[in-house]
Amino acid sequence: MGAFSVGAALLDGLVLAILEEKDTYGYQITKDIQAHFIISESTLYPVLRRLQKNGSLVTYDKPYQGRNRRYYQITPAGKSQLLQYRQEWQNYKRQVDYFMGEE
C-alpha cells in the first residue's frame, strides 16, 4: 500500500472483478479492496452508484439479521466492461513495465 493512487477506472475494474466472482454487498466489497489498497468506504459507494447507473451492475435486497442487505450483481454489460478494463490494464502494465525494467 504505497504511493500510487487508485483511480476511478481502476476502482470500477476492481469492483466488477469482485462481482464477477460472486454477488456481494457494499461493505464486503470495500473490505476486499481495503485488503490491498488504501480506500475509504465513502469512496466506494459513488463507484457502485456509477456502475449501477451505466448498467454494469444491478442490485437486489436480501434479508440479513432482521433487515435487508443490498447486494450487487454484475450484468452482461458489466462483464463486457470488465473484459475491456482487463485488456486496457494489460496494455498499461506493459507500458509501465517497460520503463520500470520489468520486461
Side-chain angles (χ1 to χ4, degrees), residues 1-20:
M1 295 199 231
F4 301 106
S5 65
V6 181
L10 184 54
L11 266 179
D12 288 1
L14 294 174
V15 168
L16 292 173
I18 289 168
L19 292 173
E20 182 184 43

Side-chain angles (χ1 to χ4, degrees), residues 12-13 16-17 19-20 50-58 73-85:
D12 288 1
L16 292 173
L19 292 173
E20 182 184 43
R50 180 174 63 246
L51 289 170
Q52 186 178 1
K53 190 175 179 184
N54 77 15
S56 294
L57 57 85
V58 292
Q73 180 180 53
I74 194 168
T75 63
K79 288 180 182 182
S80 294
Q81 183 65 52
L82 178 57
L83 181 61
Q84 185 177 341
Y85 280 135

